[in-house]
Amino acid sequence: MTRKSATASIEVGVDPLIAFQAFTEEIGQWWVPGPINAWDSARAVTKRIEPGVGGRFLEVYDDTTGDALELGRITVWEPGARLVYRSSVDATEVDVRFEAIDSGTRVRVEHYLLPGGEVGEGSLFWPNVLHWLESWCARRDAATSPEPRQLARLSAALYYEDPAAAARWLAKVFGLTSWDRIPAEGAQPSWIELHVGNVAVLLFPLAGKRSADEPVTHEMWVYVDDLDAHHARATGHGATIVSEIQQHGYRAYTARDLEAHQWTFIQASPAMP
């Protein structure tokens, strides 16, 4: 009988031993924080994998006291080749393999249901998060340690008829970034999270079509390091400029995105981190 499983693979530009090290020792660096990426996001501060067979995969709540949730126990530990852990929170197992290729390493994960087990929708989650490792391996040599990967205390939500297209446009034209990834052409994820610094901008699908006389009421204000360069980037990509750069005690300009939300970009002060 074929077991229920979900698989994914990525290619990273480092050798298998480094890829294994990045996956295990640096998981706290590349695991994306957020309200749906933890068992208890209100308490979670990082993820950690203890080395060797019998080591634990942990969601850490307090480094001082050692308070943590055991997510799994390692059953296979072969640095540069393979890692397997059995979940401690549901009836699944995760098998991660590292294969040398010309460009570096192919990392393949299989997340599968154990015989006789039952899990809810979304439990076989590893194929949905493996690509976070890919982006980490691409920047790990230049990254500061530790990276500022905690979300701010305020997030904003915007609704679009096509959130995926909006995400691509906002990344290209306004320079918004993602700790996850920008959806590719044809992809329609239900949850898209972009970032300005550590502030999350959440993009959700609009219910139905926005009527021609329905105003778009939400406006974003974003502080940028170089207002003139940002204005040049936006105009170079064809953004509609509502008001050019002006001085009002602050220097700012306003532009519309592809679905008519207005964005005001302001020159950040030297005192603003």
Side-chain angles (χ1 to χ4, degrees), residues 77-115:
W77 180 270
E78 300 174 2
R82 189 180 181 208
L83 168 74
V84 179
Y85 79 83
R86 178 162 293 193
S87 175
S88 302
V89 293
D90 58 27
T92 68
E93 197 163 66
V94 178
D95 189 339
V96 190
R97 310 220 178 196
F98 302 81
E99 174 192 358
I101 56 177
D102 290 342
S103 59
T105 303
R106 180 178 293 110
V107 184
R108 182 180 185 275
V109 65
E110 182 183 11
H111 195 168
Y112 48 88
L113 182 65
L114 293 169

Side-chain angles (χ1 to χ4, degrees), residues 23 59 109 225 231 262:
F23 187 99
E59 180 171 287
V109 65
D225 292 327
H231 180 273
Q262 290 199 169

